[in-house]
Amino acid sequence: MIPGLSTGLSYDSNVYATPNQPSSDVLLTVSPSLLLRKQGDGRSLTLTASGTGTRYRSHPSENSIDYEIDASGRQRINTYGAMFGGLGYSRSHEDRTSPDDVLGKRPTVFTDAHAHLGIEQRWAPFSLRAGGTFDHLSYRNVTSAAGELIDNTDRDRNVIGVGLRLGYSIAPHVDVFAQGTYDKRNYRRRIDDYGYRRDSQGDSWVVGLASRDATTVHGEVYVGWLSQRYVDPRLPKVTAPTLGATLLWRVTPNTTLDAAIDRSAQETTLPGASSYVDTHVSLRIDHKLSERLSAQAGISATRSDFRGLDRRDDLFAGSFGLSYRVHRYWQVEASYQLLQRHSDAPDAEYYRNGIYLGVRMDGSGRAIAREAGAESAATDWSSAADGFYVGASAGYGNVDTRVTGPRGEHGTYRGDFAGSGLTNSVFTGYGQMLGRWYLGLEASTGRSQVDWLHDKTPSSRVFSTDQKRSEEFSLRAGPLLPGNNLLFVSAGRIRSRFDSAYTVEDGTASAQSDRRWSSTYGIGLDIPLSRHLFARSQYDLARYRGYEVANAEASDRFADSTGRFQLGLGWRLGAVPESARAPVDTSGFYAGAQGGDNRFGSRLDAIQRQSDVPPVTDFHTDFGGHGTNFGVFGGYGHAFGPLYAGAELESDGSGSGWYHDKQPGGRQFSVEGRGSYGASLRLGYATPYGALLYARAGRARGRFHTIYVKGENPNAWVDRNDTRTGDRFGVGVEAPLWKAAFVRLDYAATRYDAIAFTTTQAQADQLRFTHWQDLARIGVGVRF
């Protein structure tokens, strides 16, 4: 019996996979599993059960429980032959990225009862493999946002498949083979909700080469033809060449490469489409950095050609992850994933970032070998992290606010606003080491000057928000790194004061203060500077529930989200042992990957003209929003004793922006930041304990997409892409992870050159956008 358990927190930047106005959320996943296996006397039996429960913080309608139960067995019938088969049942939900998502209030849940049975036999040099599969798929109904029932039962179906494969050995470890498959897809309902009969039958025929009994390389490659024919003559049949390949290559004892190519016809219920042909290519590399630390990176691309519709989707995915084995049964895991789909159907496009941090228990376990020289003085785990500490910090914070409310008798308004400013705080706490892991409790209080302003005059509204004081209580946990450097994550509760002011068209003014509680999450590094003094680098996030800001006519709803980066100094009562000193040679080349929070905003200064009264208005507003960021960096540095100087290049992709919409008859406009690249100089100080404190300054070039809709003539609307250069300043901390690897917490602020244009209407608007971007990123790098 092998039990398993993984649990962690994830950040999803685009829960509903929408092209505009993405909604982000933090979610908790818990995934238990159990494996039972019995072998002996030419037979084996395996029972598996697994499940995943997901809970969203702000979108509870997306909560899900998925599970799967499987039983499979194998019976030897002679020296070179065996029978195999299995039964299973699973419950899953349809992801919002699916082309067949029906946009229900909740994701569509479906079940799959499946079975397979087969036989394989080898008569040197020939081989045979034959089998059949059965799947019964059942989809549950959901309700729309308006409360209407969405019928999914027309998607219920049975799928039967049979296949035969003949092989011939042409070398000790290579077979040439020919393979044929046939499938029949029968729907429970004869006609679906759109009037189509979707029953079909199909086949594929391929020839290829396959490796066999190889120790370092295993895989196959094939080419052939596939077809799928539908009962309904309005649904075009599929006839297309097919190809495929799989490769599992153990490049070195520590590196494995996994690659695949596949082409298949997929079912869809989109009206007019019979299916879509998926062509999928993927590559994944797993590398063991040490006995405990492993890294994974992968990329993939999928092209979906819809038959019967003028639509083609291109889906790109990239991922990067780290896993650290803290015990023979336990691993800490962190990963990032980027998904982006381009489509001929604009509503199907989306951009999604996902960040995961969690732990996994593997009941099979494995012993962890002690590496020669690994547990040296540079990895002295004795610690001063126990006990009380006090400190103070200062930094830079951001607040972005979504404002929604009525405008006129039937009008609505939505605007995304953001501002930034200085913050400071004092903190005190207590911590305790549990082996190499730290657990603590901290309290802090602080002040900030973070605000934004919407100012449109004359005869329009002026409103603003200013974040003031905050009090916070949090739990902190994390591993102690070499040199007594502490990497921690935090989770707690924060109460902040927001001062709001509001003036309406007639000049009536009001003001109010609101104290709001929120959960807060953060990540940071504490690095010792002396035996008692330590420096802190920390970034935390909070998202507050909305509140009503009253004005003379009605009220608007303000919903705030904050991000805060701080550098601080603290004093621990305990003393770092002398043996903890771990100087690191920071000279030479380095490279790495990083990702995190992306706060993006724009100062809009505009003159707007219209036929209404007043004919001309001055518009000065701080728009903004937040998203995620992922990128790579590399550079060269040189140490001059404890001082450090170097140069760095970086490139990143991001998904953040803001939106303004006033209905009916108002202007609609938005700006999206689409990544940047840049170069900077770095100056820093290397502590005696292996960490590096640095400041940097340089130039960055960013890409921006602007939409500006005014009036009823689409030819006069603005849809443009611009590239601008800006000054980028930042600070950060690097701490040693393992040998040449290091972890980095970096904060960078960029102010870009302005983008100005004039619309083409007779009563033209003059606009000037000045964009800014604040990036808080956690990264992992390697020095060469």
Side-chain angles (χ1 to χ4, degrees), residues 578-633:
E578 288 292 341
S579 59
R581 289 177 174 261
V584 172
D585 184 7
T586 55
S587 295
F589 290 96
Y590 62 90
Q594 59 190 357
D597 194 41
N598 178 7
R599 301 277 161 166
F600 171 75
S602 310
R603 172 68 178 185
L604 172 59
D605 297 294
I607 298 175
Q608 296 182 331
R609 298 177 175 88
Q610 51 274 326
S611 57
D612 301 334
V613 177
V616 180
T617 54
D618 288 329
F619 194 19
H620 306 282
T621 301
D622 301 313
F623 289 109
H626 66 275
T628 53
N629 175 274
F630 178 73
V632 295
F633 62 88

Side-chain angles (χ1 to χ4, degrees), residues 37 52 55 68 118 137 217 396 430 530 547 597 618 698 700-701 758:
R37 180 180 291 133
T52 299
R55 290 294 179 268
E68 183 172 7
L137 295 162
V217 178
Y396 206 65
Y430 177 83
S530 69
Y547 53 94
D597 194 41
D618 288 329
R701 194 159 177 82
T758 300

Side-chain angles (χ1 to χ4, degrees), residues 184-300:
K184 189 173 181 61
R185 307 173 188 182
N186 292 323
Y187 281 75
R188 177 183 173 186
R189 283 172 45 182
R190 185 170 178 269
I191 298 176
D192 71 6
D193 291 341
Y194 298 102
Y196 293 96
R197 294 187 61 187
R198 293 198 170 271
D199 292 350
S200 68
Q201 54 184 338
D203 52 69
S204 70
W205 305 93
V206 301
V207 294
L209 295 172
S211 68
R212 175 173 48 84
D213 302 328
T215 56
T216 59
V217 178
H218 178 76
E220 64 182 39
V221 58
Y222 59 84
V223 295
W225 195 265
L226 66 84
S227 67
Q228 197 76 28
R229 301 165 298 279
Y230 297 84
V231 173
D232 197 318
R234 295 171 297 171
L235 297 177
K237 69 177 182 179
V238 176
T239 56
T242 185
L243 73 163
T246 61
L247 174 65
L248 184 62
W249 178 21
R250 191 174 181 86
V251 183
T252 71
N254 294 325
T255 305
T256 302
L257 184 148
D258 190 352
I261 301 174
D262 180 63
R263 199 172 201 207
S264 59
Q266 301 293 327
E267 292 288 282
T268 183
T269 54
L270 293 177
S274 61
S275 62
Y276 56 94
V277 177
D278 262 0
T279 306
H280 176 76
V281 180
S282 65
L283 176 67
R284 175 186 169 96
I285 297 176
D286 293 81
H287 180 66
K288 189 176 178 182
L289 296 170
S290 70
E291 185 65 19
R292 295 178 181 269
L293 183 64
S294 298
Q296 309 86 34
I299 56 173
S300 67

Side-chain angles (χ1 to χ4, degrees), residues 102-187:
V102 294
L103 305 178
K105 290 175 62 176
R106 294 181 177 276
T108 298
V109 173
F110 65 95
T111 60
D112 181 7
H114 50 273
H116 70 276
L117 182 65
I119 187 172
E120 60 182 14
Q121 181 67 54
R122 189 168 194 91
W123 309 273
F126 295 96
S127 62
L128 176 144
R129 183 181 179 94
T133 62
F134 173 80
D135 288 87
H136 173 70
L137 295 162
S138 180
Y139 292 78
R140 294 186 181 179
N141 296 333
V142 294
T143 56
S144 68
E148 298 175 348
L149 182 69
I150 300 175
D151 182 19
N152 277 318
T153 59
D154 64 335
R155 302 170 66 183
D156 297 351
R157 59 187 180 269
N158 295 325
V159 181
I160 301 172
V162 294
L164 178 68
R165 177 165 173 163
L166 295 173
Y168 182 81
S169 178
I170 58 174
H173 297 291
V174 179
D175 285 356
V176 60
F177 67 86
Q179 176 177 294
T181 62
Y182 170 83
D183 70 81
K184 189 173 181 61
R185 307 173 188 182
N186 292 323
Y187 281 75

